[in-house]
Amino acid sequence: METVKYIVKRILIALLILFGVSIIIYMLARMMPTDYVDNQYLPAVSNGTMSQEDVDRIKEIYGLNVPDAYLSVKTDAKTSAVSGKSFTKNTKEITYDKIQRGVMSREEWYTGSYDAGEYRIYLDSTSEKIDGVSVFTPTTYRIYTVHMRGTSVVEGEGEDDKTESNDNSVITLDEELRPVEQGTWSVNEDGTIAFVLTHSAENGSWKEEAPFAFNADMIYRVASFWDKAGALFGGYFNWLGNLVQGDFGMSFKYKKPVQTVIVSNMGISFAIAFIATILQFAIAIPLGIKAATNQYGVVDYTVTVLTMMGISLPTFFLAAIVIRLFSVQLGWFPVNGLVSSLPTDASWFLRMGDMLWHMVLPMFVLVVLSVGSLMRYTRTNTLEVLNADYIRTARAKGLSERSVVYKHAFRNTMIPLVTMMAGILPSLFGGAMITETVFAIPGIGKLAYDALIVADVPFIMGYNMFIAIMTVLGTLLSDLMYAVVDPRVKIGR
């Protein structure tokens, strides 16, 4: 019962920690440039398949669309669905300046879609070039109710490539629009809008009505500090609410749900990290114990020098050296990638062997870089244990040095090493970003790096939150393992 209470307590503390971590991750992600998002949708906006308002709504889901100013449609017409509502869209202060200077027409400025809760109004227009200038002519207005807001991928969507984005596909809003009313609109001389209601909705289709005319005010307002802060916090809590439901968001770069990208590409990273971790412990712990039992001897100095060299080498530098030596000059291993060009009828055994052969150099780099710190940690702990009173007592009893070291000292040496388990779990599932990038391995680490350099905010937020969850779970597992390796530790006390 005490164990259950302890675990529940630790989980509650972990949830509080994750909440704080999520705020930090979100704020850091928001500091990244979002030009990638706008540039990605530029062709769709240019050819008319998407509107800028649609792009802004997608960005709003993640709090990326901090408003500059607002343009609102408001009327008190009693027989219209817009009565008493303020339909608003984001605009720019520079656009308002263009209107004041006569560079842009009000018809062009007003054209677009506006939201008011679950309602949306579209002000449609046609444009034509007259003497090289685009002239907008108002046509119809349409009012809908909006349901099932979310995101989806259209145009070129496919499962043929799990790692790279499909440039022919775009992320769009997944929503259902149900008609309410429609009619025509025009701009009055004073800048207000003249509406003429001609159709209402009946059973999902338009029903012609007797024309009814009414006016609406167009209200321009610069966004205040609280408007911008509200957009940021609204985006955060929207993302957090989806996260609680297991939805990490839609990756802008990979055009897939973030959790799908992580799960689909985590396997290779886990395989490399798992094998490297096993080798790391299998090499570092015996070397650390050997160095401690031969303190200041030849073995101790040799192992220490070699491991310190490994610790000091940057990942990209060591990776470049082994690629040049073992791949370019000796030709023993592939330069990069995960698979070679094999015959289509190649057996699974041959394909598995080819993949393992590609993984040798990345695992070698990971082991060399990590074995040094673990070895030094083991050596220090072993020396501390070997100087304890009970070890001297065991030696005084006439026990062999091997029995003293591996029977009495080894278990107590492992107790401090349990703390390292907190970092093992995220390292197994999080991927080795630099190593995977240098060796062009399509693991989750390389995908995170590629998403980072293009400011794919949903993926960056989801990936870092995934690592945070793994770290918290690793810490909980580390605490529980203390009771296993050290009988003096009692859970719940």
Side-chain angles (χ1 to χ4, degrees):
M1 187 63 182
E2 289 294 329
T3 302
V4 174
K5 289 182 178 179
Y6 177 79
I7 293 176
V8 171
K9 177 182 176 181
R10 292 293 297 178
I11 290 177
L12 293 177
I13 294 175
L15 291 176
L16 182 62
I17 293 173
L18 287 175
F19 176 72
V21 170
S22 69
I23 295 177
I24 296 174
I25 292 174
Y26 180 78
M27 293 305 172
L28 291 175
R30 279 295 294 114
M31 294 180 185
M32 302 186 65
T34 57
D35 292 343
Y36 174 76
V37 180
D38 294 315
N39 294 337
Q40 184 185 45
Y41 288 101
L42 185 60
V45 174
S46 299
N47 61 31
T49 57
M50 290 185 68
S51 66
Q52 184 59 47
E53 289 80 18
D54 291 332
V55 178
D56 290 341
R57 292 186 186 101
I58 293 173
K59 293 169 66 176
E60 283 175 5
I61 295 177
Y62 304 100
L64 303 179
N65 190 37
V66 179
D68 185 34
Y70 297 102
L71 183 64
S72 304
V73 181
K74 189 171 185 179
T75 182
D76 293 326
K78 300 303 181 183
T79 58
S80 170
V82 300
S83 177
K85 297 183 177 64
S86 181
F87 290 79
T88 304
K89 75 170 182 176
N90 292 346
T91 186
K92 301 290 183 182
E93 289 187 75
I94 189 173
T95 305
Y96 180 73
D97 293 337
K98 291 180 179 179
I99 296 296
Q100 296 297 99
R101 292 184 285 111
V103 177
M104 177 185 290
S105 66
R106 290 186 178 273
E107 288 80 3
E108 180 181 358
W109 189 29
Y110 291 168
T111 298
S113 57
Y114 302 70
D115 288 307
E118 64 174 341
Y119 288 90
R120 181 178 301 167
I121 183 172
Y122 289 87
L123 301 184
D124 301 325
S125 64
T126 60
S127 64
E128 60 178 329
K129 291 282 186 179
I130 300 178
D131 296 330
V133 178
S134 295
V135 177
F136 284 76
T137 302
T139 54
T140 61
Y141 81 89
R142 295 167 290 129
I143 300 178
Y144 297 90
T145 55
V146 183
H147 302 268
M148 299 174 58
R149 293 197 62 174
T151 55
S152 61
V153 181
V154 298
E155 299 180 15
E157 179 181 8
E159 299 292 334
D160 54 321
D161 192 343
K162 293 184 178 181
T163 59
E164 297 300 329
S165 61
N166 187 341
D167 292 335
N168 294 325
S169 61
V170 293
I171 298 173
T172 62
L173 291 173
D174 182 13
E175 55 190 12
E176 179 186 358
L177 300 180
R178 299 174 184 173
V180 176
E181 71 175 50
Q182 75 170 8
T184 61
W185 70 284
S186 60
V187 180
N188 298 320
E189 292 184 0
D190 60 357
T192 60
I193 292 183
F195 285 107
V196 178
L197 190 156
T198 59
H199 294 77
S200 62
E202 184 176 281
N203 298 325
S205 59
W206 297 116
K207 175 186 176 183
E208 189 172 354
E209 298 280 356
F212 172 77
F214 59 94
N215 289 334
D217 294 326
M218 297 300 294
I219 303 171
Y220 169 80
R221 179 173 65 87
V222 177
S224 66
F225 168 80
W226 297 111
D227 290 324
K228 297 179 180 181
L232 287 174
F233 284 109
Y236 167 73
F237 284 107
N238 189 18
W239 171 74
L240 184 63
N242 292 332
L243 180 68
V244 171
Q245 301 176 46
D247 181 7
F248 283 66
M250 184 75 72
S251 169
F252 291 144
K253 176 175 175 58
Y254 303 113
K255 314 291 177 40
K256 299 179 187 296
V258 172
Q259 63 267 31
T260 300
V261 179
I262 293 176
V263 172
S264 299
N265 299 277
M266 187 173 58
I268 184 62
S269 296
F270 176 82
I272 295 176
F274 181 76
I275 297 174
T277 301
I278 296 298
L279 293 176
Q280 171 191 346
F281 277 81
I283 296 173
I285 292 177
L287 281 180
I289 295 175
K290 189 68 175 177
T293 55
N294 294 273
Q295 187 180 17
Y296 305 131
V298 176
V299 174
D300 187 20
Y301 282 122
T302 302
V303 171
T304 300
V305 170
L306 293 177
T307 53
M308 289 303 294
M309 290 175 59
I311 294 174
S312 304
L313 290 174
T315 304
F316 64 87
F317 181 72
L318 179 59
I321 289 177
V322 298
I323 288 175
R324 179 173 178 80
L325 178 61
F326 296 107
S327 298
V328 178
Q329 294 183 348
L330 298 178
W332 292 353
F333 299 96
V335 175
N336 52 37
L338 198 58
V339 292
S340 303
S341 299
L342 297 176
T344 55
D345 59 347
S347 63
W348 69 268
F349 183 79
L350 181 61
R351 295 183 184 277
M352 181 64 67
D354 177 66
M355 185 176 295
L356 291 175
W357 197 243
H358 281 76
M359 293 166 56
V360 170
L361 291 185
M363 287 190 295
F364 173 79
V365 170
L366 291 176
V367 171
V368 169
L369 293 176
S370 57
V371 74
S373 58
L374 180 58
M375 190 284 298
R376 296 292 297 173
Y377 197 50
T378 305
R379 176 184 178 276
T380 302
N381 292 336
T382 303
L383 286 174
E384 184 178 348
V385 172
L386 289 176
N387 291 325
D389 292 338
Y390 71 91
I391 294 297
R392 286 194 291 269
T393 302
R395 285 171 174 160
K397 290 181 179 180
L399 295 177
S400 65
E401 187 66 15
R402 181 179 181 85
S403 178
V404 169
V405 172
Y406 292 100
K407 185 176 180 180
H408 294 272
F410 179 70
R411 183 173 182 178
N412 290 326
T413 299
M414 294 300 295
I415 293 176
L417 293 178
V418 171
T419 58
M420 300 189 66
M421 294 190 65
I424 291 177
L425 204 59
S427 67
L428 288 178
F429 292 93
M433 184 176 292
I434 298 177
T435 303
E436 291 178 8
T437 300
V438 174
F439 286 96
I441 296 175
I444 190 62
K446 182 179 184 301
L447 266 66
Y449 173 77
D450 292 341
L452 180 66
I453 61 178
V454 297
D456 183 356
V457 174
F459 186 86
I460 294 168
M461 291 164 55
Y463 172 78
N464 283 284
M465 201 62 202
F466 171 73
I467 297 299
I469 293 172
M470 291 294 103
T471 302
V472 169
L473 291 177
T475 303
L476 177 60
L477 180 61
S478 177
D479 291 343
L480 296 176
M481 286 300 296
Y482 265 117
V484 177
V485 299
D486 190 351
R488 296 171 296 178
V489 177
K490 300 299 181 181
I491 296 297
R493 295 184 183 178

